[in-house]
Amino acid sequence: MIVAGAAVQGTAHLARGQGCQDAFKAVEWDGTAVLAVADGAGGRERSALGAHLAVDAACRILAEGVPGAGDAPEVWTGWIAEAGARIIGDYRRAVEGVLSAVAGPSEPPDPSEPVDAGALAATLAAAVVRPPWVAFLSVGDCFGTVLTRDPGGSGPGGEERERCHLVLPPPAPGAPETVFLSSPGAALRLRSFVVWEPRLSGVVLATDGCAALTLDHPSVRELPPEAGPLPSERFFCGLAATLRANGGDATPLRALLSGPGAARTGDDLTVLCALTDGR
């Protein structure tokens, strides 16, 4: 399996002298990969740290007790939902520990008072890739795409054509305000689901700053606006082909996230992917 990712500081963040508030992390073993991307809330004092705490918690918890490739769908759906709740709890405990340390020993926190975790607010998307299964979870506005081999099409070299599918879309325009891991009731807003795909060839996660670069308006394929955003085959399939050809060197991905097309958004941009075959 090829695992590669990159995070690039957004142009607006650069102009304000603000560091990158995104984070990503991956863990891989025995044909299985855990991917996690997080987006720290802009304007929050320690949101970059919050993003790192989020991906650390996700990778640690999602690497435990992963169901087998032959397990039933209900095993996978139950496991990822439970893991998501554990991640939110683990994240909040980590945030409370950080804030307690900042307060100092002279002023121990009052257990009866709610902790203002918003200073470290972050969104999260994570995926566990164990072909033919992918288990997704998300809190907030990050998104995810699945790549598959198309037995009915062929590429320029005669190989099976690769297609991309936006299975974890970002919130629709006009949706309620962004939910963070630290938001009250975050566990109730957790999205978790599984995909069984025997022709799975890759999984890509991205933070919301990448939307303008990686998603197409439905009019590009002559579809009505209500069809929602569509994954750009040029970006996703082109990225997969490049990473397979260079063995997973993320340099071209970093260049894409730093190029003119990415400058349309002022936000940080992060992409993390796992390609399940080496073609």
Side-chain angles (χ1 to χ4, degrees), residues 2-4 242-243 246-254:
I2 293 175
V3 177
T242 298
L243 292 174
N246 70 17
D249 180 357
T251 303
L253 170 57
R254 196 170 293 107

Side-chain angles (χ1 to χ4, degrees), residues 14-228:
L14 182 62
R16 293 195 297 264
Q18 193 174 41
C20 182
Q21 296 173 314
D22 284 0
F24 70 91
K25 188 172 183 178
V27 179
E28 181 189 0
W29 74 98
D30 297 335
T32 300
V34 177
L35 311 177
V37 300
D39 183 357
R44 305 293 177 90
E45 184 180 359
R46 299 185 182 90
S47 62
L49 175 57
H52 284 280
L53 292 175
V55 297
D56 284 347
C59 285
R60 182 174 63 255
I61 290 172
L62 292 176
E64 301 173 356
V66 181
D71 282 339
E74 55 268 25
V75 173
W76 277 90
T77 55
W79 173 78
I80 191 63
E82 180 183 359
R86 289 177 59 202
I87 289 168
I88 292 174
D90 190 277
Y91 165 84
R92 288 194 62 88
R93 285 189 293 273
V95 167
E96 290 172 4
V98 168
L99 295 177
S100 297
V102 171
S106 61
E107 298 183 13
D110 183 347
S112 66
E113 292 294 324
V115 174
D116 179 17
L120 286 85
T123 63
L124 172 72
V128 179
V129 186
R130 176 169 281 182
W133 293 98
V134 186
F136 288 93
L137 63 83
S138 170
V139 175
D141 51 13
C142 300
F143 57 97
T145 300
V146 163
L147 304 178
T148 61
R149 294 290 181 180
D150 180 6
S154 61
E159 73 279 3
E160 289 181 331
R161 181 178 177 181
E162 197 161 29
R163 295 189 180 276
C164 51
H165 315 271
L166 185 63
V167 297
L168 177 63
E177 65 180 26
T178 302
V179 177
F180 300 103
L181 290 166
S182 55
S183 299
L188 300 177
R189 303 287 294 275
L190 172 75
R191 293 185 287 175
S192 68
F193 62 96
V194 298
V195 173
W196 182 84
E197 177 50 70
R199 303 194 68 83
L200 180 71
S201 60
V203 176
V204 185
L205 300 179
T207 54
D208 72 314
C210 299
L213 179 65
T214 64
L215 302 179
D216 290 335
H217 190 274
S219 62
V220 171
R221 302 185 198 175
E222 299 181 349
L223 294 173
E226 53 267 27

